[in-house]
Structures are given as C-alpha cells and as structure tokens.
Amino acid sequence: MKYVLQFLKIPEAGWSALSADEVHHRTIRLKRKNYFSKRWQAEFITNLVCPEEGKVLFNAVGRSQRALEDCFSVLSTGQKMAVEWFACDVHEPFMAAKKKHLPNAKICVDRFHLVQLLNKAFDVVRKAEFKKAESQFEKNMLLPTRRFVMVSREVKTPKEVKMLAKLRGLNESIHNAMLLVENFHATLECKTVGGFRKALVEWYQLVREAKLAPLRKFAKTIRNYRREIENYIQSRLTTAVSEGLNNKIKALKRAGGGYKTATYFRNKILQRCGYLNHRSIPT
C-alpha cells in the first residue's frame, strides 16, 4: 500500500461530494468443511469516487467498513472536512465508515438502489399472484419476462398500455402494487424536503390500505433511512458516476481475462480510472 501511495497523484483541492461503491473482483471456490458450508465466495473491491472529477481516488479489498476506511486514509484532514455530501447504497458498513471519517458530510442514499429494492418487493407480489392466476392471459402477463414492463417508467407502447390496463382490471393486488411503484417514483421527484415528507405520508397510507406484505416491509426500510433519502432530495447526489466507472472496470476486467490477485486489479483500476502514474509502477 505504501509503495502505491508514493506514485498516487491525488489533487490537493477539497471536494464537496464523494461516493463509494463496490465492484466484483472474482468468485473463489471454498474448501467445504461439511455439506451445509458455503461452496463459493464472491470477492469485491471498494472504490472511493469523486463525482466532480469522475475519478477513483483510492480502493481497497472487500466491501466492509475497514475497506472504506482504508480508502479514506489517502485524504488529508482538510479534504475530509470539506466533504458535505456522501452517496452510497443501503450498506451499513459504508455509513459507519463515513460517520467516523467525514464529520461534516451528510449521507445520501442512492436512488437507483432504493428503486432496486422496490422492484424486488414488487417481484415478490408478482410471483405470489402468478401462482394464484386462473386465466391464461393473467399467467402470461405475470411471467418473469414481463416484470420489467410493469415497473418501467419509460413510455410504453399502446399495445402494452392496453394489456396492462386489462391486467389491472383482473388482478387487484397487481393493480395496487403498480400504483405504489408509480407513486413512490413521484415521491422521489419532489423538489423540496417539505413536499417529500408530505408525499411520503400519503404513500405510507396507501401501503397500509393495500395490505401487501412485501411492500410494507419495503416501507419499513424507507422509514429507517428517511433522513438519508431527504439528503438526496436536497443534493440530488447519486452513485451514478461510481456505477459508470464500475462498467468501465468490468470491461477492463474482461479485456484482461480476469485478475488473479486483488493487488494487480486495484492498481489497474487506479491506473485507468484514477490518479496512478502508470509510467512509474508496474500494473
């Protein structure tokens, strides 16, 4: 680590926003002690990203609190104090590391990961209704290949609109679940914290009236991270830059045929997506 740091040319200026996300490195096969032990284990690299620069500042092995704290170690005290916003997914170890190293920063829960949790809750409802479906049309519309059409925010074709309207008339639970998904997206579009709180209270009431267990469970998650979501409403900061860099890193991994050791993979990430001087250190 010290060998790499001497070639890392990080700007001295501070940044108002940072984000963190993990990228998959490899999946290794474990020696099984018994039949019930894990057979495979995924390994990750945590990247600390500056959205303003679009660069990876530093990275570490794993996706734990210790990994993100190692990333924060390359920042000076002044740079840490200057950070006002910090974006991450709903991952407690990352939040704990932020609270320890970025005292002035507010955590912003990433919108994409919230919607991902919402879509998973909707999918649980879809699976349950698929098992109870009676008509062939209803079964066809509730197939896994159709789930993206039901939760998509993109403009649908007239044929899709007509089919979804027919499905809503046949299945009340799917109708209610789709309304909750659409209403939650509208809630996240609020421009002010006050408007968001008012819309969220109305959304909670709709969840209670719908009586759908998966979405009530999701509502509890929203209640636990309400302040972090309000920070997103204020800053509109997401991990979009981190996700874009992850796509670049995945392409880099495919081009290299994979990396056996995490050290070489980390150095290559810092070389292509960060501030590592590739002329001074072998990667």
Side-chain angles (χ1 to χ4, degrees):
M1 180 176 173
K2 293 181 180 179
Y3 181 64
V4 174
L5 287 177
Q6 63 181 321
F7 298 104
L8 203 61
K9 308 298 182 181
I10 296 179
E12 296 180 0
W15 304 284
S16 61
L18 293 176
S19 65
D21 201 7
E22 73 279 354
V23 64
H24 181 263
H25 171 214
R26 62 177 182 174
T27 301
I28 60 174
R29 186 164 187 165
L30 302 175
K31 292 182 179 180
R32 301 180 68 184
K33 297 179 180 179
N34 53 59
Y35 182 79
F36 299 99
S37 60
K38 290 175 62 177
R39 179 176 296 181
W40 301 94
Q41 179 175 317
E43 293 184 346
F44 296 90
I45 302 292
T46 294
N47 294 312
L48 179 63
V49 174
C50 175
E52 299 171 18
E53 301 287 339
K55 295 279 191 178
V56 176
L57 299 179
F58 200 57
N59 51 27
V61 179
R63 61 191 298 265
S64 61
Q65 179 179 344
R66 175 66 180 276
L68 188 54
E69 287 182 2
D70 288 344
C71 295
F72 284 137
S73 65
V74 301
L75 302 179
S76 64
T77 303
Q79 288 173 327
K80 292 179 182 178
M81 297 294 288
V83 180
E84 299 176 5
W85 308 100
F86 178 75
C88 64
D89 55 8
V90 186
H91 190 48
E92 288 293 342
F94 284 179
M95 295 183 181
K98 171 266 153 196
K99 293 175 183 177
K100 187 175 180 180
H101 291 270
L102 305 178
N104 298 331
K106 296 180 180 180
I107 299 174
C108 306
V109 171
D110 182 53
R111 176 173 180 164
F112 169 80
H113 290 89
L114 286 177
V115 173
Q116 195 175 45
L117 292 175
L118 175 62
N119 291 345
K120 286 182 180 179
F122 178 87
D123 202 42
V124 174
V125 177
R126 180 196 62 79
K127 290 177 181 177
E129 295 304 312
F130 176 78
K131 294 179 181 179
K132 297 187 293 184
E134 296 180 357
S135 66
Q136 189 60 42
F137 169 80
E138 196 174 354
K139 288 182 179 179
N140 291 338
M141 284 298 296
L142 294 176
L143 287 171
T145 53
R146 296 277 189 175
R147 68 184 187 277
F148 297 112
V149 178
M150 289 184 276
V151 297
S152 175
R153 299 180 64 203
E154 298 178 358
V155 179
K156 300 177 177 65
T157 63
K159 183 179 179 181
E160 290 175 341
V161 172
K162 186 177 180 180
M163 293 174 68
L164 289 175
K166 183 178 178 181
L167 176 64
R168 288 186 176 203
L170 292 173
N171 195 306
E172 183 179 0
S173 295
I174 292 295
H175 172 67
N176 292 336
M178 291 178 69
L179 284 178
L180 290 173
V181 170
E182 294 167 2
N183 193 274
F184 185 74
H185 281 292
T187 301
L188 291 178
E189 293 293 338
C190 292
K191 302 300 182 182
T192 62
V193 173
F196 169 75
R197 290 176 179 174
K198 183 178 179 180
L200 190 62
V201 170
E202 296 175 357
W203 185 78
Y204 283 149
Q205 182 62 33
L206 291 175
V207 171
R208 285 192 290 270
E209 292 175 359
K211 297 180 180 179
L212 297 172
L215 288 163
R216 295 185 70 174
K217 184 179 178 181
F218 172 74
K220 290 181 180 178
T221 303
I222 298 302
R223 190 175 287 109
N224 293 336
Y225 295 98
R226 180 181 59 82
R227 293 188 182 277
E228 288 76 12
I229 300 173
E230 289 177 0
N231 292 336
Y232 158 74
I233 299 297
Q234 284 183 292
S235 65
R236 292 294 166 179
L237 179 66
T238 68
T239 61
V241 176
S242 296
E243 296 293 345
L245 288 172
N246 280 353
N247 289 334
K248 185 176 180 180
I249 292 168
K250 290 173 184 176
L252 183 66
K253 185 173 69 172
R254 289 194 296 270
Y259 290 82
K260 189 173 182 180
T261 65
T263 302
Y264 285 140
F265 190 40
R266 288 175 57 200
N267 290 344
K268 183 59 74 173
I269 292 172
L270 292 175
Q271 174 196 330
R272 294 297 181 90
C273 306
Y275 294 99
L276 185 63
N277 184 354
H278 65 280
R279 296 180 181 178
S280 304
I281 182 170
T283 56

